[in-house]
């Protein structure tokens, strides 16, 4: 039976080093396997060949892959991250655009433009403005005012 005092400190550091290297090798192995399947330029036979090489001769296969394709591995990783970020940004813009509702300031600006063009009268503008500011009216308060503008413009 080994006790703690039978296992010297240097041996403990040596064991920790080997354990760390073993874990790092597995991390590298799984990154390489992921890179093999992610690469669009590599044919199906090429992917199969690299997978057999990495599985049958793991240490040699991993080191040869890193030497032969290590630089492009980094480029593919960056391109994949940028594509994911672009998809995420597009999703956020789409989700934010669907739920965005015009603010009171936007509606007032539209009403002001309609009044400046002469589409609505000053009285219609005041009523629509009161609806917007009280926030009891519908979102498109200017739309109701435009129907009245046809009668107002017909009167001119």
């Amino acid at each position: 039976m080994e006790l703690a005092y039978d296992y010297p400190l240097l041996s403990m550091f040596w064991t920790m080093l080997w354990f760390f290297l073993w874990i790092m090798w597995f991390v590298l192995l799984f990154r390489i396997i992921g890179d093999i399947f992610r690469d669009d330029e590599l044919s199906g036979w090429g992917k199969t060949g690299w997978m057999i090489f990495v599985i049958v001769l793991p240490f040699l296969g991993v080191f040869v892959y890193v030497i032969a394709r290590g630089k492009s591995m980094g480029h593919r990783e960056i391109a994949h991250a940028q594509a994911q970020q672009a998809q995420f940004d597009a999703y956020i813009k789409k989700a934010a655009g669907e739920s965005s509702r015009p603010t009171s300031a936007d509606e007032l600006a539209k009403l002001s433009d309609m009044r400046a063009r002469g589409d609505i009268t000053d009285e219609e503008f005041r009523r629509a403005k009161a609806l917007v500011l009280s926030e009891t009216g519908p979102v498109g308060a200017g739309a109701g005012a435009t129907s009245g503008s046809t009668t107002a413009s017909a009167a001119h």
Side-chain angles (χ1 to χ4, degrees), residues 77-116:
E77 185 73 27
I78 290 171
H80 184 260
Q82 288 173 341
Q84 279 185 328
Q85 184 67 39
Q87 287 175 347
F88 179 74
D89 291 344
Y91 171 74
I92 293 296
K93 287 178 184 175
K94 179 184 169 200
E98 289 175 356
S99 65
S100 67
R101 182 177 166 183
T103 64
S104 298
D106 294 336
E107 291 184 22
L108 289 174
K110 288 178 187 176
L111 286 171
S112 178
D113 289 341
M114 291 170 63
R115 184 178 64 170

Side-chain angles (χ1 to χ4, degrees), residues 38-44 47 69 72 76:
R38 183 183 300 136
D39 189 7
D40 292 333
E41 297 172 4
L42 200 58
S43 69
K47 290 179 183 184
R69 300 177 50 87
S72 60
R76 282 187 296 277

